[in-house]
């Protein structure tokens, strides 16, 4: 896969693993972060230090890319309107977003973030993620995809195996909802290589 991909939030746990996966597949990657000092230099990776929430500073860095991936925090990171505007102004045809699990349904019409047991510490981030998705769903021009991980989303093993769902939280045979960041990176790269979820959210898990 020979594509030129920009990643917002390159120094984060998800962003760095997505970059590794894309580089292994032959892509060139532009990694963007407020502080790139924590990013590991790799062949095919260009680092750009900028605050992604600053539209005028971001647009020039995105020009010439085949897709941009937003992997910043929802609370305090780039918002959906800015991400959409940046992609459009830069002429980037695709926006892919590292989503959250909080907006996934655990019952018809009931999101995980709205359940009593949802951890209070993650609620602000989860609600911001849901608002980001709602803004994307109103966007009819840009080709966007929002990829929600399962509930437990942490560094782990790269197995190469994952299941795909739509808007409902996935769980394994033991009732656990999880995906490693390494396998999530595979799913992100697969979606870039063979687009299957244009203007849609999907989720992945074991």
């Amino acid at each position: 896969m020979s594509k030129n991909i920009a990643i917002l939030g390159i120094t984060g746990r998800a962003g760095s693993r997505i970059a590794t996966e894309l580089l292994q597949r032959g892509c060139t990657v532009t990694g963007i972060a407020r502080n790139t000092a924590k990013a590991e230099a790799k062949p095919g990776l260009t680092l750009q230090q900028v605050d992604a929430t600053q539209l005028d500073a971001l647009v020039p860095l995105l020009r010439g890319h085949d897709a941009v991936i937003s992997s910043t925090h929802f609370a305090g990171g780039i918002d959906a309107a800015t991400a959409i505007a940046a992609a459009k102004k830069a002429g980037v045809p695709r926006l892919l977003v590292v989503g959250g699990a909080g907006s996934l349904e655990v019952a018809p019409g009931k999101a995980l973030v709205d359940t009593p047991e949802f951890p209070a510490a993650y609620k602000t981030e989860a609600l911001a993620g849901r608002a980001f998705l709602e803004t994307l769903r109103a966007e009819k021009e840009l080709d966007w995809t929002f990829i929600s991980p399962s509930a437990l989303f942490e560094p782990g093993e790269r197995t190469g195996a994952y299941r795909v769902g739509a808007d409902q939280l996935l769980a394994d045979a033991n009732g656990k909802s999880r995906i490693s960041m390494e396998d999530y990176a595979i799913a992100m790269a697969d979606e870039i290589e063979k687009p299957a979820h244009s203007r849609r959210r999907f989720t992945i898990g074991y």
Side-chain angles (χ1 to χ4, degrees):
M1 177 170 59
S2 178
K3 289 184 180 291
N4 194 13
I5 312 296
I7 301 178
L8 312 180
I10 186 67
T11 57
R13 297 192 302 173
S16 60
R17 284 165 174 80
I18 292 166
T20 297
E21 182 68 31
L22 291 172
L23 291 167
Q24 288 175 351
R25 297 193 189 200
C27 293
T28 54
V29 175
T30 300
I32 297 169
R34 287 177 178 144
N35 180 7
T36 56
K38 294 184 289 182
E40 182 183 347
K42 295 179 179 179
L45 173 63
T46 300
L47 297 173
Q48 297 283 1
Q49 188 161 295
V50 72
D51 184 343
T53 65
Q54 304 300 310
L55 180 63
D56 291 343
L58 181 60
V59 169
L61 302 182
L62 298 184
R63 289 197 179 106
H65 290 84
D66 298 301
V68 55
I69 298 169
S70 178
S71 63
T72 69
H73 287 293
F74 293 114
I78 190 171
D79 60 36
T82 303
I84 291 166
K88 284 182 172 180
K89 288 188 175 185
V92 179
R94 287 195 81 191
L95 168 65
L96 299 103
V97 180
V98 177
S103 58
L104 291 166
E105 291 186 346
V106 293
K110 187 169 188 178
L112 179 63
V113 68
D114 295 325
T115 60
E117 58 270 23
F118 191 84
Y122 300 119
K123 195 149 192 173
T124 299
E125 177 71 10
L127 291 173
R130 179 161 65 184
F132 196 113
L133 176 58
E134 288 171 355
T135 301
L136 285 178
R137 282 175 166 161
E139 171 57 38
K140 305 303 181 188
E141 296 175 4
L142 184 67
D143 187 1
W144 61 267
T145 303
F146 188 99
I147 309 178
S148 287
S150 287
L152 185 62
F153 182 42
E154 292 182 340
E157 187 181 355
R158 185 187 186 280
T159 70
Y162 62 87
R163 288 190 297 140
V164 175
D167 291 312
Q168 291 74 41
L169 187 73
L170 292 176
D172 63 16
N174 299 316
K176 290 186 177 179
S177 176
R178 62 188 185 90
I179 189 75
S180 73
M181 289 184 171
E182 287 75 8
D183 283 338
Y184 180 95
I186 292 174
M188 176 69 77
D190 287 349
E191 177 65 23
I192 291 172
E193 195 167 3
K194 294 181 179 179
H197 300 87
S198 178
R199 297 194 187 94
R200 279 193 287 158
R201 183 260 290 277
F202 73 98
T203 186
I204 54 168
Y206 296 127

